[in-house]
Amino acid sequence: MSNNFFNPVEECYSVDELRAVQDQRLRQVVRHTDLNSRYFHERYQAAGIDSAGFRGLDDLHALPFMSKIDFREQYPDGMCCVPKDRIVEMHMSSGSTGTPVVMLYTQHDVDQWAECMARCYCMAGAKPGDVVQITPGLGLFNGGFGCFHGARANGMFIIPAGPGNTQRQIHLARDFKTRVLVGVVSYGTRIMEMMQEMKVSLPDLEIGIFGAEAFSDAMKAKLRDGMGIDAYDIYGMTETGGIGTLGQDCCAHNGTHVWEDHYIVEVLDATTHQPVADGQLGELIVTSLTREALPVIRFRTGDLTSVLSREKCVCGRSHVRLAPISGRVDDMLIIKGVNFFPSQVEQSLMKIPGVLPQYQIFVNDVNGVKELYIKVEAEKGVTGHQIVKQLREDLGFSPDGDVFPAGTLPRQDGKAKRVFYMKNGVEIQ
Ligand code: DLL
């Protein structure tokens, strides 16, 4: 357990300082977007907002929401707030409809991203000179480059491995003494499996930073114990500027500290858009305060979380702490009258001794009635009956479940596809 700061002053702002910075930066970003982008200007006009008289945090609730749909409709650069010749980088995610979501960066935006990401590395205990192995793709996906920019800012030795060739990852980590490993959660589990298969331990590896997918506490424990590391949960998305922009947990592992001097977060009821009380689950809404090319204003992330605490943390930071993402608004499953998220299935499965981190969830619509079927890898001796019993205890109904030997379910190098939708046994998406 370790705790460092990349930017001790801003990371240790008091709540009052954070509010003052947010208030001033919110006025600035509303003015900037209004003056420099027709998209934002028209939306503010339609909502009756004059950016010259905008009163900062007091007027936050009056700002209109935006969502992924706006990014898709404005593809490729319809929302851009700076002249084209100031753009130095782009990233993109494709999502379920196939229409891309593009994020554009000025040099200032790349530096802002690097700062957020460097804070995350430091918060996990990484120091200048540490070897960091970056396994998210270094391409259009924001994961790899965000890790790269942040590591450069923090003065680390970068192994830009990207995903895949898992045996080589282990050799690289052993030979170059990797201390910090970053990856999407399911690729972290893949590396852990390969370490076990190759019977290699990596004594220099101390810190694992994972994200991009549902990450249950039980999965964190598996990675921690299986790799002998401290496991951190990092958060961010293309629209907010990428990995790390929305923060990470600290050494106390008690929620995701959001970088509140750069982002305002609200947790709202996904249907009524009214604020929910701290501790209650709702949709996360994000406003970026310091991004230039493509700021987001009250962006509906679709991610569900709750405010865990606004108190000063033992690590010294007052930045708000959010619960791990429990799912997406559109991911909720309703089966036999029970509402739940795939992450709850993961949490339940990973509690069973001998169950391995690879699983698939099938939602089969049989003549209008939804049924759940789970495939999971497990060590010898674990039975389908144990799986069904655990899920019945945790979810309140009995799905079907089967156990498969290690290494038999399909794996992806990027984000894992965990949920499959079927109609009368035939996959539909
Ligand atoms: O997944 C950024 C990222 C890369 C984060 C690597 C962490 C590690 P997108 O592809 O735009 O960006 O996907 C963003 O992924 O809205 C969440 O639904 C989900 N997500 C990201 N981090 C977490 C996390 C990257 N720590 C979407 N826990 C988000 C759960 C996460 N879900």
Side-chain angles (χ1 to χ4, degrees), residues 76-118:
D77 57 5
M79 294 191 291
C80 190
C81 299
V82 297
K84 280 237 187 69
D85 61 2
R86 295 202 46 225
I87 304 294
V88 299
E89 189 168 323
M90 68 169 274
H91 289 280
M92 190 171 107
S93 68
S94 36
S96 50
T97 67
T99 316
V101 165
V102 168
M103 176 47 59
L104 304 170
Y105 299 75
T106 62
Q107 185 57 50
H108 162 92
D109 294 332
V110 173
D111 295 344
Q112 184 264 8
W113 190 13
E115 153 106 23
C116 290
M117 191 61 212

Side-chain angles (χ1 to χ4, degrees), residues 224-246:
R224 207 170 44 231
D225 300 343
M227 295 173 118
I229 53 167
D230 200 2
Y232 289 83
D233 184 344
I234 189 161
Y235 185 43
M237 61 195 67
T238 309
E239 297 87 342
T240 59
I243 178 173
T245 49
L246 293 178

Side-chain angles (χ1 to χ4, degrees), residues 68-196:
K68 269 189 197 303
I69 297 172
D70 298 281
F71 276 85
R72 296 201 161 118
E73 285 178 357
Q74 300 298 321
Y75 174 87
D77 57 5
M79 294 191 291
C80 190
C81 299
V82 297
K84 280 237 187 69
D85 61 2
R86 295 202 46 225
I87 304 294
V88 299
E89 189 168 323
M90 68 169 274
H91 289 280
M92 190 171 107
S93 68
S94 36
S96 50
T97 67
T99 316
V101 165
V102 168
M103 176 47 59
L104 304 170
Y105 299 75
T106 62
Q107 185 57 50
H108 162 92
D109 294 332
V110 173
D111 295 344
Q112 184 264 8
W113 190 13
E115 153 106 23
C116 290
M117 191 61 212
R119 289 186 189 184
C120 293
Y121 280 128
C122 289
M123 188 155 60
K127 298 183 301 296
D130 280 353
V131 180
V132 57
Q133 191 159 330
I134 297 174
T135 71
L138 287 115
L140 285 172
F141 180 45
N142 66 74
F145 272 96
C147 294
F148 182 87
H149 293 311
R152 287 298 293 269
N154 197 33
M156 300 168 80
F157 169 177
I158 297 168
I159 305 181
N165 204 338
T166 311
Q167 284 199 0
R168 190 183 64 185
Q169 302 271 6
I170 311 275
H171 291 143
L172 283 169
R174 184 195 55 201
D175 299 344
F176 289 89
K177 303 192 185 317
T178 296
R179 178 163 186 254
V180 184
L181 177 73
V182 196
V184 304
V185 177
S186 49
Y187 197 61
T189 65
R190 181 91 193 90
I191 291 179
M192 176 177 74
E193 285 172 349
M194 189 58 83
M195 283 167 66
Q196 286 157 359

Side-chain angles (χ1 to χ4, degrees), residues 4-79:
N4 297 318
F5 297 97
F6 179 72
N7 182 338
V9 174
E10 289 167 23
E11 287 178 61
C12 292
Y13 274 158
S14 66
V15 170
D16 287 347
E17 284 169 318
L18 282 170
R19 292 302 156 258
V21 166
Q22 287 187 331
D23 192 52
Q24 186 234 342
R25 290 182 171 174
L26 180 61
R27 286 171 219 247
Q28 273 171 2
V29 75
V30 169
R31 190 85 184 129
H32 165 63
T33 47
D34 188 25
L35 295 182
N36 296 304
S37 152
R38 208 172 73 198
Y39 160 85
F40 281 104
H41 180 68
E42 286 173 358
R43 289 178 70 94
Y44 293 147
Q45 276 204 318
I49 289 169
D50 168 12
S51 67
F54 184 78
R55 290 177 305 149
L57 289 176
D58 286 344
D59 284 343
L60 175 68
H61 63 277
L63 292 166
F65 295 110
M66 54 192 287
S67 74
K68 269 189 197 303
I69 297 172
D70 298 281
F71 276 85
R72 296 201 161 118
E73 285 178 357
Q74 300 298 321
Y75 174 87
D77 57 5
M79 294 191 291

